[in-house]
Amino acid sequence: MSIIRTENLNNFYGDLQVLKDINMEIEQGEVWVIIGPSGAGKSTLLRSLITLEDFTSGKIFLDDELFIHREDSKVVEQMEASRYKQKLLEMGMVFQRFNLFPNKTVLGNVTLAPMNVLGKSEEEANEIALNLINRVGLSDKVDFYPSKLSGGQQQRVAIARALAMEPEIMLFDEPTSALDPELVGEVLNVMKDLATQGMTMMVVSHEMGFAREVADKVIFMADGAILETGTPDELFTNPKTDKARQFLASIL
Amino acid sequence: MDTLQHMLSWMPALLNGAKITIALTICATVAGLIFSFFLALGKMSRNIIISKICSAYIFFFRGTPLLMQLYFIYYALPLLSPVLTINNRFLAAFIAYSLNSAAYCAEIVRAAIQSIDSGQFEAAKVLGLSHGQTMRLLIIPQSIRRLVPPIGNEFIMMLKDASLVSIIALADLTKVTRSISSSDATTLVYIPAMIIYLIITAFFTFVFNRIEAKMEERE
Ligand SMILES: Nc1ncnc2c1ncn2[C@@H]1O[C@H](COP(=O)(O)OP(=O)(O)O)[C@@H](O)[C@H]1O
Ligand SMILES: [Mg+2]
């Protein structure tokens, strides 16, 4: 069963087409790494899936059920409201710039949505949160405010915060590119753990080592389109298109 | 020695005036600030009617003199309809200053809210928080820290603008000073009066700086 499937997803900013007929299907438990030059539309794709971006046209299916269908920038068909909301929560997202809530402690960041959106009691939310915070290795920072944490620690909190909503799939938009090089590893390790435990993941990242280690598929995007799909080995050692070859040469 | 004696004899009256000045400023700033959140959120609302009403309110109260607003509320409203008579001078001043300060604070609040990184709204949306929850739990608490310095400024301005209430014969510090000056036929009383103003201003500047420092420490 596919967790997310898209049909001819298109997005325009004025005359600029940033997504071109994206047809993709990600299965339960798969880990995708999406690569491609800046401006390729990688962020726009993730943001469209999680409805941060109102794409121009196309369909998104979640668990084989129509989630939203848009044409001419307008909604044509959409899941019934309460179900739509619930389905949306099955996607978690981690941002390049963490976007932690600076007025909440680490624990507060992780418990906020479970308590206010899922209606969990404080006790229950705390228990889940402490578990997750432990899982990302930050048990000693529970009461810290984000500004007192390193970038790597903040990003790990952001991952725990997303996981607290018990998502089916996690979207990562360049989760390590705002980090100092020495902090990249700790975040990738948490993500590798997640992958090993069977989480479905779409990760925009140029970390080749990570891709080789955990990705089932590497997707190469350029100019708003998916140009190549393959295993890490296929794509990294044997790219078919010139664009991919050039791009890989530029980041190695 | 005589002069000092004299000055001390004015003190109780001056301090009573200062009490009125401080009470009016605090009450009006607090009420104005609370009201200003509704105005700011209203002005930013996607509902055009609400947004226009709030904009018009802010435009009106920032665009006309406070003195005239005070006059209007105390002297002109009762002429329009006796029901609108406000006998208590302090209450009339409180209403005028709150309405006025709300308009100024609303622009400060709006600027603070708009200065919050859009990533906060995105993270909240992805976690399923509603717009109202996002505002209440995240955006407003975060903007409060940024509000402290400009609201502190606004407070000090108001403290001095409070001297305008003498036109409705409310016995604030300025009014008391003028009364003493004419009854005792002396200009000397202005010296302790201004010193009291300076002390009040210095004290509240200190308080606002402390609040700011405390908040900085926390985040
Ligand atoms: N809000 C926006 N308005 C206009 N153009 C945008 C907007 N967001 C992204 N773009 C453009 O869309 C293209 C794809 O952007 P993006 O998805 O961020 O690429 P990537 O993440 O692959 O670097 C870029 O050319 C970018 O300039
Ligand atoms: Mg991007």
Side-chain angles (χ1 to χ4, degrees), chain B residues 12-41:
Chain B
L14 289 178
L15 289 179
N16 269 330
K19 254 192 250 167
I20 302 260
T21 297
I22 293 171
L24 177 63
T25 306
I26 291 178
C27 295
T29 307
V30 170
L33 188 58
I34 293 168
F35 183 27
S36 76
F37 274 95
F38 293 96
L39 283 174
L41 293 174

Side-chain angles (χ1 to χ4, degrees), chain A residues 13 16 18-19 36-45 53 173-174 204:
Chain A
Y13 289 116
L16 179 70
V18 295
L19 289 183
S38 168
K42 307 178 298 293
S43 300
T44 308
L45 174 59
E53 216 69 65
D173 192 3
E174 305 209 29
V204 174

Side-chain angles (χ1 to χ4, degrees), chain B residues 31-99:
Chain B
L33 188 58
I34 293 168
F35 183 27
S36 76
F37 274 95
F38 293 96
L39 283 174
L41 293 174
K43 187 168 173 177
M44 290 186 289
S45 163
R46 268 161 287 187
N47 182 321
I48 307 252
I49 298 168
I50 292 177
S51 167
K52 285 268 185 275
I53 291 173
C54 293
S55 298
Y57 177 96
I58 294 168
F59 178 70
F60 177 80
F61 278 94
R62 281 163 49 106
T64 55
L66 171 58
L67 189 60
M68 198 175 273
Q69 293 161 18
L70 184 60
Y71 247 130
F72 188 84
I73 286 172
Y74 191 67
Y75 294 114
L77 280 185
L79 302 179
L80 288 179
S81 156
V83 186
L84 297 171
T85 311
I86 302 164
N87 283 319
N88 185 317
R89 294 174 209 279
F90 185 85
L91 183 62
F94 166 72
I95 292 171
Y97 281 71
S98 305
L99 295 180

Side-chain angles (χ1 to χ4, degrees), chain A residues 47 50-51 89 93 99-103 112-113 116-117 145 147-148 161 165, chain B residues 117 119-120 122-129 133 137-138 141-142 217-219:
Chain A
R47 293 167 56 83
I50 202 159
T51 71
L89 293 180
M93 183 153 182
N99 297 345
L100 288 185
F101 305 132
N103 60 319
L112 186 77
N116 290 284
V117 178
Y145 283 92
S147 62
K148 298 288 190 295
R161 179 177 71 177
M165 297 301 282
Chain B
D117 178 26
Q120 293 290 305
E122 295 189 346
K125 186 176 175 204
V126 163
L127 289 168
L129 293 158
Q133 288 175 321
L137 301 168
L138 301 170
Q142 285 174 38
E217 220 169 84
R218 228 191 58 152
E219 274 181 22

